[in-house]
Protein backbone atom coordinates (compact mmCIF):
# COMPACT_ATOMS: atom_id res chain seq x y z
CA UNK A 1 0.00 0.00 0.00
CA UNK A 2 1.44 3.34 -1.04
CA UNK A 3 2.16 5.83 1.69
CA UNK A 4 0.45 9.21 1.86
CA UNK A 5 3.75 10.95 1.07
CA UNK A 6 4.18 8.96 -2.15
CA UNK A 7 0.62 9.69 -3.26
CA UNK A 8 1.04 13.39 -2.38
CA UNK A 9 4.27 13.71 -4.39
CA UNK A 10 2.72 11.96 -7.38
CA UNK A 11 -0.43 14.12 -7.12
CA UNK A 12 1.59 17.36 -6.98
CA UNK A 13 3.69 16.21 -9.94
CA UNK A 14 0.60 15.43 -12.04
CA UNK A 15 -0.94 18.77 -11.08
CA UNK A 16 2.08 20.70 -12.32
CA UNK A 17 2.33 18.56 -15.44
CA UNK A 18 -1.21 19.61 -16.32
CA UNK A 19 -0.61 23.21 -15.25
CA UNK A 20 2.53 23.70 -17.34
CA UNK A 21 1.13 21.86 -20.38
CA UNK A 22 -1.94 24.07 -20.20
CA UNK A 23 0.11 27.27 -19.68
CA UNK A 24 2.62 26.56 -22.47
CA UNK A 25 0.00 25.43 -25.01
CA UNK A 26 -2.15 28.50 -24.24
CA UNK A 27 0.84 30.75 -24.90
CA UNK A 28 1.76 28.91 -28.11
CA UNK A 29 -1.79 29.10 -29.47
CA UNK A 30 -1.82 32.88 -28.91
CA UNK A 31 1.92 33.46 -29.15
CA UNK A 32 1.74 36.81 -30.93
CA UNK A 33 -0.54 38.27 -28.27
CA UNK A 34 1.58 36.73 -25.49
CA UNK A 35 4.68 38.49 -26.85
CA UNK A 36 2.86 41.81 -27.06
CA UNK A 37 1.62 41.48 -23.48
CA UNK A 38 5.14 40.75 -22.26
CA UNK A 39 6.40 43.73 -24.25
CA UNK A 40 4.01 45.93 -22.27
CA UNK A 41 5.56 44.83 -18.98
CA UNK A 42 7.61 47.56 -17.29
CA UNK A 43 10.12 44.87 -16.24
CA UNK A 44 10.28 42.54 -19.22
CA UNK A 45 9.42 44.84 -22.13
CA UNK A 46 12.96 45.10 -23.45
CA UNK A 47 13.43 41.32 -23.35
CA UNK A 48 9.97 40.22 -24.55
CA UNK A 49 11.26 38.26 -27.54
CA UNK A 50 13.67 36.01 -25.69
CA UNK A 51 11.62 35.81 -22.47
CA UNK A 52 8.49 34.61 -24.31
CA UNK A 53 10.43 31.72 -25.87
CA UNK A 54 12.34 31.00 -22.68
CA UNK A 55 9.22 30.76 -20.50
CA UNK A 56 7.49 28.33 -22.86
CA UNK A 57 10.67 26.29 -23.25
CA UNK A 58 11.25 26.03 -19.49
CA UNK A 59 7.64 25.04 -18.87
CA UNK A 60 7.88 22.21 -21.42
CA UNK A 61 11.22 21.02 -20.01
CA UNK A 62 9.70 20.89 -16.51
CA UNK A 63 6.81 18.82 -17.88
CA UNK A 64 9.34 16.35 -19.32
CA UNK A 65 11.24 16.14 -16.01
CA UNK A 66 8.05 15.55 -14.02
CA UNK A 67 6.80 12.87 -16.41
CA UNK A 68 10.02 10.80 -16.20
CA UNK A 69 10.07 9.20 -12.75
CA UNK A 70 13.85 9.28 -12.22
CA UNK A 71 13.93 13.03 -13.02
CA UNK A 72 10.81 13.89 -10.99
CA UNK A 73 12.60 15.44 -7.99
CA UNK A 74 14.67 17.58 -10.37
CA UNK A 75 11.42 18.64 -12.03
CA UNK A 76 9.93 19.62 -8.66
CA UNK A 77 12.95 21.80 -7.89
CA UNK A 78 12.72 23.38 -11.35
CA UNK A 79 8.99 24.00 -10.90
CA UNK A 80 9.70 25.58 -7.52
CA UNK A 81 12.24 27.91 -9.10
CA UNK A 82 9.99 29.16 -11.90
CA UNK A 83 6.93 29.48 -9.64
CA UNK A 84 9.02 31.50 -7.15
CA UNK A 85 10.08 33.80 -9.98
CA UNK A 86 6.50 34.17 -11.22
CA UNK A 87 5.29 34.94 -7.68
CA UNK A 88 7.86 37.68 -7.11
CA UNK A 89 7.12 39.14 -10.56
CA UNK A 90 3.39 39.38 -9.79
CA UNK A 91 4.10 40.87 -6.34
CA UNK A 92 6.32 43.60 -7.80
CA UNK A 93 3.88 44.37 -10.62
CA UNK A 94 0.99 44.61 -8.17
CA UNK A 95 2.72 46.82 -5.62
CA UNK A 96 5.36 48.85 -7.41
CA UNK A 97 4.39 49.14 -11.06
CA UNK A 98 2.39 51.89 -12.75
CA UNK A 99 0.97 49.54 -15.37
CA UNK A 100 -0.33 46.00 -14.91
CA UNK A 101 -0.02 43.87 -18.05
CA UNK A 102 -1.51 40.41 -18.52
CA UNK A 103 0.49 37.46 -19.77
CA UNK A 104 -1.91 34.62 -19.00
CA UNK A 105 -4.62 32.92 -20.96
CA UNK A 106 -7.50 30.56 -20.48
CA UNK A 107 -8.79 29.96 -16.95
CA UNK A 108 -5.95 31.89 -15.28
CA UNK A 109 -7.04 34.99 -17.16
CA UNK A 110 -10.30 34.89 -15.16
CA UNK A 111 -8.31 35.59 -11.97
CA UNK A 112 -7.43 39.10 -10.95
CA UNK A 113 -3.80 39.73 -10.06
CA UNK A 114 -4.32 39.38 -6.30
CA UNK A 115 -5.98 36.00 -6.82
CA UNK A 116 -3.18 35.03 -9.17
CA UNK A 117 -0.63 35.95 -6.50
CA UNK A 118 -2.38 33.77 -3.91
CA UNK A 119 -2.61 30.90 -6.42
CA UNK A 120 1.15 31.12 -7.04
CA UNK A 121 1.96 31.23 -3.33
CA UNK A 122 -0.11 28.07 -2.80
CA UNK A 123 1.75 26.41 -5.69
CA UNK A 124 5.12 27.29 -4.11
CA UNK A 125 4.01 25.83 -0.78
CA UNK A 126 2.77 22.65 -2.46
CA UNK A 127 6.14 22.18 -4.16
CA UNK A 128 8.11 22.75 -0.96
CA UNK A 129 5.99 20.18 0.92
CA UNK A 130 6.34 17.66 -1.93
CA UNK A 131 10.13 18.06 -1.97
CA UNK A 132 10.33 17.64 1.81
CA UNK A 133 8.08 14.55 1.63
CA UNK A 134 10.39 13.05 -0.97
CA UNK A 135 12.88 12.59 1.83
CA UNK A 136 16.52 13.48 2.10
CA UNK A 137 19.09 11.91 4.39
CA UNK A 138 21.12 15.09 4.57
CA UNK A 139 18.89 17.81 6.03
CA UNK A 140 21.46 20.55 5.43
CA UNK A 141 21.67 19.64 1.74
CA UNK A 142 17.86 19.61 1.52
CA UNK A 143 17.55 23.10 3.03
CA UNK A 144 20.34 24.49 0.86
CA UNK A 145 18.69 23.16 -2.32
CA UNK A 146 15.31 24.55 -1.29
CA UNK A 147 16.90 27.92 -0.54
CA UNK A 148 18.73 27.90 -3.88
CA UNK A 149 15.53 27.03 -5.77
CA UNK A 150 13.55 29.86 -4.17
CA UNK A 151 15.91 32.67 -3.17
CA UNK A 152 17.96 32.74 -6.40
CA UNK A 153 14.90 33.22 -8.67
CA UNK A 154 13.46 35.79 -6.26
CA UNK A 155 16.68 37.81 -6.22
CA UNK A 156 16.98 37.60 -10.02
CA UNK A 157 13.51 39.10 -10.50
CA UNK A 158 14.15 41.81 -7.89
CA UNK A 159 17.44 42.70 -9.60
CA UNK A 160 15.70 42.90 -12.98
CA UNK A 161 13.07 45.18 -11.46
CA UNK A 162 15.73 47.37 -9.84
CA UNK A 163 17.57 47.77 -13.16
CA UNK A 164 14.43 49.03 -14.90
CA UNK A 165 12.86 51.08 -12.11
CA UNK A 166 15.00 54.20 -12.61
CA UNK A 167 13.50 54.69 -16.07
CA UNK A 168 10.63 56.42 -14.27
CA UNK A 169 12.86 59.06 -12.67
CA UNK A 170 13.05 62.52 -14.22
CA UNK A 171 15.76 65.20 -14.10
CA UNK A 172 13.44 67.86 -12.64
CA UNK A 173 13.04 68.95 -9.02
CA UNK A 174 9.75 69.48 -7.24
CA UNK A 175 8.94 72.24 -4.78
CA UNK A 176 7.02 70.28 -2.13
CA UNK A 177 4.68 71.89 0.42
CA UNK A 178 1.85 70.62 2.66
CA UNK A 179 -1.36 72.50 1.78
CA UNK A 180 -3.63 69.83 3.29
CA UNK A 181 -4.22 68.70 6.85
CA UNK A 182 -2.85 65.23 7.58
CA UNK A 183 -6.17 63.80 8.76
CA UNK A 184 -8.84 62.87 6.27
CA UNK A 185 -12.41 61.60 6.21
CA UNK A 186 -12.99 58.33 4.39
CA UNK A 187 -16.11 56.78 2.89
CA UNK A 188 -15.94 53.22 1.58
CA UNK A 189 -17.87 51.65 -1.28
CA UNK A 190 -18.83 47.99 -1.77
CA UNK A 191 -16.70 47.80 -4.95
CA UNK A 192 -13.89 49.66 -6.71
CA UNK A 193 -15.54 50.61 -10.01
CA UNK A 194 -16.64 54.14 -9.09
CA UNK A 195 -15.79 57.36 -10.94
CA UNK A 196 -16.58 61.06 -10.47
CA UNK A 197 -19.68 61.98 -12.47
CA UNK A 198 -19.65 65.61 -11.32
CA UNK A 199 -20.05 67.93 -8.34
CA UNK A 200 -22.11 70.85 -7.08
CA UNK A 201 -20.29 72.72 -4.35
CA UNK A 202 -19.34 69.99 -1.88
CA UNK A 203 -22.07 67.64 -3.07
CA UNK A 204 -20.38 64.91 -5.07
CA UNK A 205 -21.92 62.67 -7.72
CA UNK A 206 -20.37 59.28 -8.37
CA UNK A 207 -21.35 56.52 -10.79
CA UNK A 208 -20.30 52.90 -11.11
CA UNK A 209 -19.21 50.88 -14.15
CA UNK A 210 -20.90 47.72 -12.86
CA UNK A 211 -24.25 49.35 -12.00
CA UNK A 212 -24.29 52.02 -14.73
CA UNK A 213 -27.64 53.72 -13.92
CA UNK A 214 -27.06 53.94 -10.19
CA UNK A 215 -26.05 57.47 -9.13
CA UNK A 216 -24.43 57.96 -5.72
CA UNK A 217 -24.61 61.38 -4.06
CA UNK A 218 -22.32 62.38 -1.18
CA UNK A 219 -23.71 65.39 0.66
CA UNK A 220 -21.46 68.09 2.21
CA UNK A 221 -21.77 66.61 5.72
CA UNK A 222 -19.85 63.61 4.33
CA UNK A 223 -21.64 61.13 6.56
CA UNK A 224 -23.62 59.02 4.13
CA UNK A 225 -24.15 58.09 0.50
CA UNK A 226 -27.54 58.66 -1.13
CA UNK A 227 -28.43 56.24 -3.93
CA UNK A 228 -30.71 57.04 -6.87
CA UNK A 229 -31.53 55.10 -10.01
CA UNK A 230 -31.66 57.03 -13.27
CA UNK A 231 -34.51 55.98 -15.55
CA UNK A 232 -34.39 56.03 -19.35
CA UNK A 233 -37.24 56.52 -21.76
CA UNK A 234 -35.81 53.79 -23.99
CA UNK A 235 -34.11 50.55 -22.95
CA UNK A 236 -33.87 48.92 -26.38
CA UNK A 237 -30.06 49.29 -26.61
CA UNK A 238 -27.49 46.68 -25.63
CA UNK A 239 -25.32 48.96 -23.50
CA UNK A 240 -21.58 48.33 -23.36
CA UNK A 241 -19.87 51.25 -21.61
CA UNK A 242 -22.25 53.68 -19.92
CA UNK A 243 -21.02 57.03 -18.56
CA UNK A 244 -22.96 59.53 -16.45
CA UNK A 245 -22.12 63.25 -16.62
CA UNK A 246 -23.53 65.75 -14.10
CA UNK A 247 -23.45 69.50 -14.63
CA UNK A 248 -26.00 70.35 -11.97
CA UNK A 249 -28.94 70.51 -12.45
CA UNK A 250 -28.39 68.84 -15.83
CA UNK A 251 -27.13 65.31 -16.39
CA UNK A 252 -26.59 62.90 -19.26
CA UNK A 253 -26.26 59.15 -19.75
CA UNK A 254 -24.17 58.10 -22.73
CA UNK A 255 -22.60 55.06 -24.31
CA UNK A 256 -20.11 55.80 -27.07
CA UNK A 257 -19.92 52.20 -28.21
CA UNK A 258 -23.65 51.83 -28.96
CA UNK A 259 -23.79 54.88 -29.54
CA UNK A 260 -26.56 56.74 -27.72
CA UNK A 261 -27.03 59.80 -25.49
CA UNK A 262 -29.81 60.50 -22.97
CA UNK A 263 -30.35 63.83 -21.19
CA UNK A 264 -32.21 64.82 -18.03
CA UNK A 265 -32.56 67.49 -15.38
CA UNK A 266 -32.75 67.20 -11.60
CA UNK A 267 -34.78 66.76 -9.44
CA UNK A 268 -36.37 64.28 -11.85
CA UNK A 269 -34.26 61.18 -12.57
CA UNK A 270 -35.76 60.56 -16.02
CA UNK A 271 -33.41 60.86 -19.02
CA UNK A 272 -34.64 61.17 -22.60
CA UNK A 273 -32.96 59.98 -25.77
CA UNK A 274 -31.51 62.80 -27.87
CA UNK A 275 -31.66 61.10 -31.26
CA UNK A 276 -27.88 61.34 -31.76
CA UNK A 277 -27.07 57.76 -32.69
CA UNK A 278 -24.32 57.90 -35.30
CA UNK A 279 -21.49 59.35 -33.23
CA UNK A 280 -19.05 56.89 -31.63
CA UNK A 281 -16.77 58.19 -28.88
CA UNK A 282 -14.43 57.08 -26.09
CA UNK A 283 -14.35 60.24 -23.91
CA UNK A 284 -17.42 62.37 -23.34
CA UNK A 285 -17.94 65.38 -21.05
CA UNK A 286 -20.72 67.95 -20.68
CA UNK A 287 -19.35 71.46 -21.07
CA UNK A 288 -22.72 73.25 -21.17
CA UNK A 289 -26.34 72.06 -21.15
CA UNK A 290 -26.82 70.09 -24.41
CA UNK A 291 -23.19 70.69 -25.42
CA UNK A 292 -20.36 68.19 -25.05
CA UNK A 293 -16.71 67.65 -25.86
CA UNK A 294 -15.79 64.15 -27.03
CA UNK A 295 -12.92 62.07 -28.35
CA UNK A 296 -13.48 59.75 -31.28
CA UNK A 297 -11.51 57.70 -33.80
CA UNK A 298 -12.04 58.61 -37.45
CA UNK A 299 -12.82 55.70 -39.76
CA UNK A 300 -10.75 57.08 -42.65
CA UNK A 301 -7.52 57.86 -40.79
CA UNK A 302 -7.84 55.45 -37.82
CA UNK A 303 -6.62 58.34 -35.64
CA UNK A 304 -8.11 59.94 -32.52
CA UNK A 305 -9.61 63.42 -32.76
CA UNK A 306 -11.55 65.79 -30.51
CA UNK A 307 -14.90 67.28 -31.31
CA UNK A 308 -17.87 69.30 -30.03
CA UNK A 309 -21.44 67.96 -30.03
CA UNK A 310 -24.59 70.08 -29.78
CA UNK A 311 -27.58 67.84 -29.03
CA UNK A 312 -30.07 70.70 -29.38
CA UNK A 313 -29.01 71.24 -33.00
CA UNK A 314 -28.22 67.53 -33.48
CA UNK A 315 -24.86 68.34 -35.02
CA UNK A 316 -21.20 67.90 -34.20
CA UNK A 317 -17.86 69.15 -35.48
CA UNK A 318 -14.45 67.46 -35.52
CA UNK A 319 -11.30 69.53 -34.91
CA UNK A 320 -8.39 67.59 -36.50
CA UNK A 321 -5.69 70.13 -35.60
CA UNK A 322 -5.98 69.77 -31.82
CA UNK A 323 -4.33 66.38 -31.29
CA UNK A 324 -1.05 66.26 -33.17
CA UNK A 325 0.09 62.85 -34.33
CA UNK A 326 3.68 61.83 -33.58
CA UNK A 327 3.64 58.10 -34.30
CA UNK A 328 0.29 56.31 -34.68
CA UNK A 329 -2.30 58.99 -33.90
CA UNK A 330 -4.00 56.81 -31.29
CA UNK A 331 -1.75 55.87 -28.39
CA UNK A 332 0.62 58.84 -28.80
CA UNK A 333 -2.32 61.25 -28.52
CA UNK A 334 -4.15 59.34 -25.76
CA UNK A 335 -5.20 61.36 -22.74
CA UNK A 336 -8.10 62.76 -20.76
CA UNK A 337 -9.88 66.07 -20.29
CA UNK A 338 -10.69 68.41 -17.43
CA UNK A 339 -13.39 71.05 -17.94
CA UNK A 340 -13.04 74.59 -16.60
CA UNK A 341 -16.68 75.66 -16.61
CA UNK A 342 -15.98 79.03 -15.01
CA UNK A 343 -13.51 80.19 -17.68
CA UNK A 344 -15.12 78.04 -20.41
CA UNK A 345 -11.92 76.13 -21.16
CA UNK A 346 -11.13 72.53 -22.11
CA UNK A 347 -7.81 71.17 -20.84
CA UNK A 348 -6.56 67.98 -22.51
CA UNK A 349 -3.66 66.23 -20.76
CA UNK A 350 -1.67 63.47 -22.47
CA UNK A 351 -1.18 60.17 -20.66
CA UNK A 352 2.31 59.45 -22.03
CA UNK A 353 3.71 62.91 -22.86
CA UNK A 354 4.20 66.10 -20.89
CA UNK A 355 1.85 68.21 -23.03
CA UNK A 356 -1.30 69.99 -21.87
CA UNK A 357 -3.63 71.46 -24.49
CA UNK A 358 -5.96 74.33 -23.52
CA UNK A 359 -8.76 75.63 -25.74
CA UNK A 360 -12.11 77.36 -25.42
CA UNK A 361 -15.45 75.54 -25.78
CA UNK A 362 -15.27 75.88 -29.58
CA UNK A 363 -11.63 74.76 -29.80
CA UNK A 364 -10.37 78.23 -30.64
CA UNK A 365 -7.31 79.88 -29.07
CA UNK A 366 -5.43 76.59 -28.68
CA UNK A 367 -2.44 76.76 -26.31
CA UNK A 368 0.11 74.01 -25.70
CA UNK A 369 2.01 73.85 -22.42
CA UNK A 370 4.35 71.39 -20.72
CA UNK A 371 4.18 69.65 -17.39
CA UNK A 372 7.36 69.79 -15.30
CA UNK A 373 8.71 66.39 -16.32
CA UNK A 374 10.90 66.12 -19.41
CA UNK A 375 9.05 63.34 -21.25
CA UNK A 376 8.13 65.18 -24.43
CA UNK A 377 9.55 62.81 -27.06
CA UNK A 378 8.82 59.30 -25.85
CA UNK A 379 8.72 56.71 -28.62
CA UNK A 380 5.48 54.78 -28.46
CA UNK A 381 5.67 51.50 -30.36
CA UNK A 382 2.57 49.69 -31.58
CA UNK A 383 1.96 46.39 -33.30
CA UNK A 384 -0.95 45.26 -35.44
CA UNK A 385 -1.90 41.65 -34.74
CA UNK A 386 -3.03 39.21 -37.41
CA UNK A 387 -6.64 39.81 -36.42
CA UNK A 388 -6.22 43.52 -37.16
CA UNK A 389 -6.17 44.59 -33.50
CA UNK A 390 -3.60 47.27 -32.67
CA UNK A 391 -1.77 46.99 -29.36
CA UNK A 392 0.87 48.94 -27.51
CA UNK A 393 4.38 47.51 -27.75
CA UNK A 394 6.88 48.57 -25.08
CA UNK A 395 4.70 51.49 -24.13
CA UNK A 396 5.83 53.95 -21.47
CA UNK A 397 3.91 54.06 -18.23
CA UNK A 398 1.15 56.60 -17.79
CA UNK A 399 2.80 59.77 -16.47
CA UNK A 400 -0.28 62.00 -16.07
CA UNK A 401 -3.00 59.89 -14.47
CA UNK A 402 -5.77 62.22 -13.28
CA UNK A 403 -6.57 65.94 -13.28
CA UNK A 404 -8.91 68.44 -11.67
CA UNK A 405 -9.07 72.21 -11.31
CA UNK A 406 -10.56 74.83 -9.06
CA UNK A 407 -10.32 78.59 -9.06
CA UNK A 408 -6.89 79.43 -10.49
CA UNK A 409 -5.17 76.10 -9.87
CA UNK A 410 -4.81 73.00 -12.04
CA UNK A 411 -3.99 69.73 -10.21
CA UNK A 412 -2.26 66.84 -11.98
CA UNK A 413 -1.48 63.37 -10.57
CA UNK A 414 2.00 62.52 -11.82
CA UNK A 415 3.62 59.07 -11.86
CA UNK A 416 7.14 60.34 -12.55
CA UNK A 417 9.64 60.72 -9.74
CA UNK A 418 11.69 63.88 -9.53
CA UNK A 419 15.48 63.94 -9.34
CA UNK A 420 15.62 63.92 -5.54
CA UNK A 421 12.58 61.68 -4.92
CA UNK A 422 13.16 58.16 -3.71
CA UNK A 423 11.33 55.10 -4.92
CA UNK A 424 9.81 54.84 -1.44
CA UNK A 425 8.13 58.23 -1.91
CA UNK A 426 6.44 57.21 -5.17
CA UNK A 427 5.43 53.84 -3.73
CA UNK A 428 3.74 55.27 -0.64
CA UNK A 429 2.22 58.49 -1.99
CA UNK A 430 0.15 60.02 -4.72
CA UNK A 431 2.17 62.90 -6.17
CA UNK A 432 0.09 65.97 -7.04
CA UNK A 433 1.65 68.73 -9.17
CA UNK A 434 -0.11 72.10 -9.09
CA UNK A 435 -0.06 74.64 -11.95
CA UNK A 436 -1.42 78.11 -12.51
CA UNK A 437 -4.69 77.46 -14.34
CA UNK A 438 -4.27 80.45 -16.65
CA UNK A 439 -0.60 80.21 -17.62
CA UNK A 440 -0.05 76.50 -16.78
CA UNK A 441 3.19 77.46 -15.03
CA UNK A 442 4.28 75.06 -12.31
CA UNK A 443 3.59 76.30 -8.76
CA UNK A 444 4.31 73.48 -6.28
CA UNK A 445 3.65 69.82 -5.45
CA UNK A 446 2.29 67.88 -2.50
CA UNK A 447 2.03 64.25 -1.43
CA UNK A 448 -1.03 62.28 -0.33
CA UNK A 449 -0.37 59.06 1.56
CA UNK A 450 -1.40 55.88 -0.21
CA UNK A 451 -1.42 53.43 2.68
CA UNK A 452 -3.26 50.66 0.84
CA UNK A 453 -1.23 50.91 -2.40
CA UNK A 454 -4.46 51.60 -4.30
CA UNK A 455 -4.62 52.81 -7.87
CA UNK A 456 -5.97 56.35 -8.08
CA UNK A 457 -9.25 56.65 -10.00
CA UNK A 458 -9.86 60.36 -9.83
CA UNK A 459 -9.35 63.61 -7.94
CA UNK A 460 -11.67 66.56 -7.35
CA UNK A 461 -11.10 69.94 -5.74
CA UNK A 462 -13.55 72.38 -4.14
CA UNK A 463 -13.06 75.58 -2.15
CA UNK A 464 -12.27 73.88 1.16
CA UNK A 465 -11.60 70.23 0.29
CA UNK A 466 -9.50 67.97 -1.88
CA UNK A 467 -11.03 64.58 -2.74
CA UNK A 468 -9.17 61.44 -3.81
CA UNK A 469 -10.99 58.43 -5.29
CA UNK A 470 -8.80 55.34 -5.00
CA UNK A 471 -9.55 51.65 -4.70
CA UNK A 472 -13.01 51.27 -3.14
CA UNK A 473 -12.94 54.48 -1.10
CA UNK A 474 -13.08 58.24 -1.37
CA UNK A 475 -10.94 60.39 0.95
CA UNK A 476 -11.62 64.04 1.79
CA UNK A 477 -8.72 66.27 2.84
CA UNK A 478 -9.13 69.79 4.18
CA UNK A 479 -7.05 72.70 2.93
CA UNK A 480 -5.13 74.46 5.69
Amino acid sequence: MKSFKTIFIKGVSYFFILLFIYASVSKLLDFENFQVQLAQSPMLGAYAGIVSLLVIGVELVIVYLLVIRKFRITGLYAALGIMSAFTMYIYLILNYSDSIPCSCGGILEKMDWNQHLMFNICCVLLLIVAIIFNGFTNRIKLMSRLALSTILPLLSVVLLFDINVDEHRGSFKRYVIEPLTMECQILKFPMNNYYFAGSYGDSLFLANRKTPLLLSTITPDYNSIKLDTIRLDNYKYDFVSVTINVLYPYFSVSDGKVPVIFEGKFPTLMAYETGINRLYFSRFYMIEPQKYVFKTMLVKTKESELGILNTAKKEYQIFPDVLQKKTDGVFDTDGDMAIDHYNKKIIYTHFYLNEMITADFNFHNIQRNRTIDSLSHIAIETKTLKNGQQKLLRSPSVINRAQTLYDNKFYNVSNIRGKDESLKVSRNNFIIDVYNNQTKQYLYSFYIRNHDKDKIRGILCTKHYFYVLSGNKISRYTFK
Side-chain angles (χ1 to χ4, degrees):
M1 183 176 178
K2 293 183 178 179
S3 67
F4 169 76
K5 290 184 179 180
T6 303
I7 295 172
F8 183 84
I9 294 169
K10 186 175 289 187
V12 170
S13 299
Y14 289 163
F15 170 76
F16 281 98
I17 288 171
L18 293 174
L19 179 66
F20 286 128
I21 287 177
Y22 165 78
S24 56
V25 170
S26 296
K27 294 180 180 74
L28 284 171
L29 290 176
D30 198 13
F31 185 69
E32 186 181 40
N33 194 41
F34 173 57
Q35 279 193 315
V36 170
Q37 289 168 340
L38 277 181
Q40 294 174 357
S41 168
M43 292 172 58
L44 304 175
Y47 324 104
I50 187 171
V51 169
S52 59
L53 294 171
L54 186 62
V55 167
I56 295 173
V58 169
E59 288 176 343
L60 292 175
V61 168
I62 292 174
V63 169
Y64 171 78
L65 294 173
L66 291 173
V67 168
I68 307 301
R69 186 173 180 180
K70 67 177 180 178
F71 298 138
R72 187 161 292 164
I73 186 63
T74 304
L76 290 174
Y77 276 113
L80 177 60
I82 194 171
M83 291 305 297
S84 298
F86 287 164
T87 303
M88 179 55 71
Y89 170 75
I90 294 173
Y91 176 79
L92 292 174
I93 288 293
L94 264 176
N95 291 277
Y96 307 122
S97 173
D98 295 326
S99 58
I100 300 181
C102 179
S103 55
C104 303
I107 192 170
L108 295 183
E109 195 172 21
K110 303 303 179 183
M111 299 182 186
D112 62 35
W113 280 79
N114 285 296
Q115 292 170 337
H116 203 162
L117 178 62
M118 294 306 300
F119 174 81
N120 279 26
I121 291 173
C122 290
C123 287
V124 168
L125 294 176
L126 273 178
L127 287 163
I128 291 174
V129 173
I131 291 170
I132 293 174
F133 277 2
N134 185 72
F136 220 93
T137 54
N138 190 326
R139 185 170 295 179
I140 295 177
K141 188 175 289 187
L142 171 64
M143 298 307 295
S144 62
R145 289 187 178 184
L146 280 174
L148 188 65
S149 299
T150 53
I151 295 175
L152 188 60
L154 293 178
L155 290 177
S156 299
V157 175
V158 171
L159 179 62
L160 184 62
F161 173 80
D162 194 54
I163 290 172
N164 289 277
V165 75
D166 274 343
E167 292 181 2
H168 302 290
R169 184 196 294 267
S171 58
F172 59 94
K173 290 185 177 182
R174 285 189 168 92
Y175 169 56
V176 180
I177 66 172
E178 294 183 1
L180 307 176
T181 57
M182 295 298 292
E183 295 182 359
C184 68
Q185 296 171 279
I186 295 176
L187 285 177
K188 290 191 175 182
F189 300 104
M191 56 184 77
N192 61 358
N193 301 99
Y194 285 83
Y195 62 92
F196 285 119
S199 64
Y200 181 63
D202 281 305
S203 293
L204 310 183
F205 303 98
L206 292 97
N208 189 290
R209 302 294 180 190
K210 296 294 184 181
T211 53
L213 295 181
L214 194 66
L215 184 66
S216 301
T217 304
I218 302 176
T219 54
D221 59 20
Y222 212 71
N223 288 326
S224 60
I225 302 173
K226 179 176 175 288
L227 299 178
D228 293 297
T229 301
I230 293 175
R231 292 168 292 141
L232 308 179
D233 71 333
N234 189 346
Y235 292 93
K236 69 178 181 180
Y237 299 100
D238 294 325
F239 296 106
V240 179
S241 180
V242 174
T243 299
I244 296 176
N245 272 279
V246 177
L247 180 59
Y248 196 84
Y250 302 93
F251 68 91
S252 70
V253 179
S254 59
D255 190 331
K257 294 183 179 181
V258 172
V260 66
I261 302 163
F262 297 84
E263 294 178 331
K265 185 178 180 181
F266 294 115
T268 177
L269 294 170
M270 176 64 72
Y272 300 90
E273 189 177 351
T274 61
I276 304 294
N277 56 7
R278 298 190 305 274
L279 176 64
Y280 292 85
F281 48 85
S282 57
R283 304 276 175 182
F284 192 76
Y285 297 100
M286 188 186 299
I287 54 178
E288 292 177 342
Q290 297 186 299
K291 190 173 182 179
Y292 304 84
V293 58
F294 63 88
K295 185 168 76 170
T296 187
M297 180 182 289
L298 300 184
V299 176
K300 277 188 177 181
T301 63
K302 302 294 183 183
E303 296 176 7
S304 295
E305 305 290 359
L306 299 181
I308 299 294
L309 167 68
N310 190 314
T311 56
K313 297 180 179 179
K314 290 183 168 49
E315 62 182 25
Y316 64 86
Q317 183 178 358
I318 304 294
F319 297 87
D321 297 328
V322 181
L323 301 181
Q324 296 181 342
K325 172 183 174 180
K326 294 180 174 62
T327 54
D328 68 312
V330 178
F331 295 110
D332 64 336
T333 59
D334 203 7
D336 205 352
M337 289 173 275
I339 311 301
D340 182 354
H341 294 101
Y342 182 79
N343 294 302
K344 297 185 181 299
K345 298 288 185 181
I346 300 166
I347 305 170
Y348 187 91
T349 308
H350 285 268
F351 286 148
Y352 306 113
L353 302 173
N354 67 341
E355 182 179 71
M356 294 185 290
I357 304 170
T358 305
D360 61 26
F361 281 180
N362 294 307
F363 278 116
H364 298 152
N365 304 316
I366 296 175
Q367 298 177 356
R368 301 179 190 275
N369 302 94
R370 301 290 183 187
T371 52
I372 59 171
D373 59 80
S374 56
L375 303 176
S376 58
H377 300 290
I378 292 181
I380 296 177
E381 300 179 47
T382 62
K383 182 176 182 178
T384 303
L385 305 184
K386 291 178 181 178
N387 61 6
Q389 187 178 8
Q390 192 175 37
K391 288 201 170 187
L392 281 171
L393 188 65
R394 299 181 191 176
S395 68
S397 297
V398 173
I399 60 174
N400 301 307
R401 186 165 293 277
Q403 297 79 36
T404 190
L405 53 90
Y406 183 79
D407 196 15
N408 200 36
K409 292 185 175 67
F410 179 80
Y411 301 84
N412 179 55
V413 180
S414 176
N415 284 351
I416 303 298
R417 287 185 291 144
K419 185 177 181 180
D420 299 327
E421 289 172 322
S422 67
L423 182 58
K424 184 178 180 181
V425 168
S426 63
R427 287 175 178 176
N428 298 325
N429 298 276
F430 298 123
I431 303 175
I432 316 294
D433 296 327
V434 185
Y435 300 82
N436 182 293
N437 193 35
Q438 298 297 325
T439 64
K440 297 301 182 294
Q441 290 185 333
Y442 172 71
L443 299 175
Y444 57 85
S445 302
F446 59 92
Y447 301 140
I448 293 179
R449 292 287 293 176
N450 183 15
H451 298 282
D452 300 323
K453 303 295 188 298
D454 289 325
K455 297 297 181 183
I456 198 162
R457 298 183 178 278
I459 56 175
L460 196 148
C461 184
T462 63
K463 183 177 181 180
H464 300 291
Y465 303 108
F466 192 86
Y467 300 88
V468 177
L469 183 61
S470 60
N472 68 332
K473 66 179 183 294
I474 180 170
S475 306
R476 182 169 83 170
Y477 297 84
T478 306
F479 283 102
K480 291 180 179 178

